Amino acid sequence: MVAEQDAVSDRSDYPRAQSRQDLARNLAVVRGQIAAAAERSGRRPEEVRLLPVAKTVPEQRIRLAAQAGCREFGENKVQEARRKHDNLAELDIRWSIIGHLQTNKAKDVAAFAAEFQALDRLRVAQVLDRRLQAVGRGLDVYVQVNTSGEDSKYGLPPEETLRFLKELPPFTALRIRGLMTLAVFSDDTDQVRACFARLRQLRDRVREQNPDLIGPGGLSMGMSGDYEIAVEEGATVVRVGQAIFGARPLPDSYYWPTT
Ligand SMILES: *Cc1c(COP(=O)(O)O)cnc(C)c1O
């Protein structure tokens, strides 16, 4: 109980962002930290893409973020993403679905999303591909891997990932861009780092054995609390919400399954 309250008060430490200036400042801070982490680990800052995560953020503030230079947003829930896509159509935003997808929502994703980062079931790949072919679209895809071993996380076990990737080439509308993971939620940065390193090593192994299966071999890993570690471990995409938009009112258990 005490731990839970601590976690909540931690969350409120994220800077509020009501105005375009607030958002521009937070974006600059995050970009600066990404650049510093990249340089610390001998990488170039341009190798890391910042995907702003806008779940629960109202459309008005997404407009402000777009004015502050954001051209793409990540969303966890398909319905919310679809609504924002439709209502903000004139902004020409690239929408990325980063949350678990049920097959009955795949049709929606195929209709408007540019990217899907949480593929971990063949059935979803089948349905997505069929719908995409029908509407003549393609979709950038990351395969989600469970690197923390927690039951409560979605994603494939690392040892099943290669076999899964081998099943995907027939789905020609899916453009495989790499792997995605969520690290363990822990204050122990060694444990967090180990999850990111595991994803990188898995990517390297797949590349060695079968480079065609993984496209550019991107690594989508790192969120507000751990993106600097992720960049140090090789992230090519970081998915950052609260450090840009401020603390979220809803607990994360609303977005992730809990056991
Ligand atoms: C919400 C979410 C994020 C971003 O989390 P923040 O704490 O807001 O940075 C990243 N990845 C996934 C899958 C998410 O659902």
Side-chain angles (χ1 to χ4, degrees):
M1 205 51 202
V2 171
E4 217 164 18
Q5 279 168 359
D6 282 351
V8 168
S9 63
D10 278 348
R11 230 176 256 133
S12 61
D13 289 347
Y14 289 113
R16 275 163 51 94
Q18 297 303 330
S19 66
R20 177 160 61 89
Q21 288 77 6
D22 291 347
L23 288 162
R25 179 204 59 211
N26 291 351
L27 282 161
V29 169
V30 172
R31 291 211 175 94
Q33 308 275 27
I34 290 171
E39 272 153 21
R40 274 200 298 281
S41 50
R43 307 180 62 209
R44 288 179 298 119
E46 313 84 74
E47 291 170 30
V48 186
R49 168 182 153 215
L50 170 60
L51 176 62
V53 175
K55 64 190 183 202
T56 76
V57 175
E59 285 157 19
Q60 182 47 31
R61 281 207 290 148
I62 294 182
R63 282 184 195 280
L64 296 177
Q67 287 167 15
C70 298
R71 305 309 322 158
E72 60 173 350
F73 295 98
E75 290 282 347
N76 198 282
K77 294 193 179 290
V78 177
Q79 225 174 337
E80 182 177 347
R82 183 73 199 253
R83 170 175 56 77
K84 290 174 177 174
H85 166 273
D86 291 351
N87 293 342
L88 300 170
E90 82 282 1
L91 296 182
D92 203 20
I93 286 165
R94 187 175 185 276
W95 294 96
S96 175
I97 302 298
I98 60 175
H100 181 77
L101 186 61
Q102 277 158 354
T103 40
N104 62 1
K105 299 273 168 58
K107 186 174 168 180
D108 260 1
V109 170
F112 77 95
E115 180 174 88
F116 173 49
Q117 291 207 355
L119 183 64
D120 63 358
R121 281 161 58 220
L122 215 48
R123 181 75 192 126
V124 170
Q126 274 164 354
V127 176
L128 273 176
D129 185 69
R130 191 182 313 140
R131 291 305 307 175
L132 287 160
Q133 303 283 0
V135 295
R137 300 184 78 238
L139 187 69
D140 287 343
V141 169
Y142 287 73
V143 169
Q144 184 171 358
V145 181
N146 180 345
T147 54
S148 67
E150 295 166 292
D151 290 344
S152 60
K153 295 276 202 308
Y154 290 117
L156 292 155
E159 63 276 13
E160 288 174 24
T161 305
L162 179 61
R163 194 166 3 137
F164 182 78
L165 286 165
K166 284 180 178 166
E167 307 270 8
L168 299 180
F171 307 119
T172 53
L174 306 183
R175 298 182 293 251
I176 309 305
R177 313 303 294 175
L179 305 177
M180 178 272 224
T181 202
L182 293 159
V184 64
F185 293 115
S186 167
D187 293 336
D188 181 344
T189 55
D190 288 345
Q191 280 190 41
V192 171
R193 188 178 293 279
C195 293
F196 296 145
R198 211 165 282 140
L199 196 71
R200 184 190 65 239
Q201 288 153 5
L202 178 61
R203 188 271 318 268
D204 292 347
R205 259 198 323 277
V206 174
R207 252 187 190 162
E208 261 167 42
Q209 296 179 10
N210 220 326
D212 295 341
L213 293 181
I214 200 164
L219 297 175
S220 175
M221 53 190 199
M223 347 195 320
S224 292
D226 56 19
Y227 68 89
E228 294 168 77
I229 302 173
V231 170
E232 288 172 5
E233 293 300 324
T236 63
V237 184
V238 292
R239 310 176 305 268
V240 178
Q242 298 181 88
I244 296 171
F245 293 104
R248 262 189 307 278
L250 291 163
D252 282 341
S253 56
Y254 179 72
Y255 298 96
W256 292 297
T258 45
T259 42

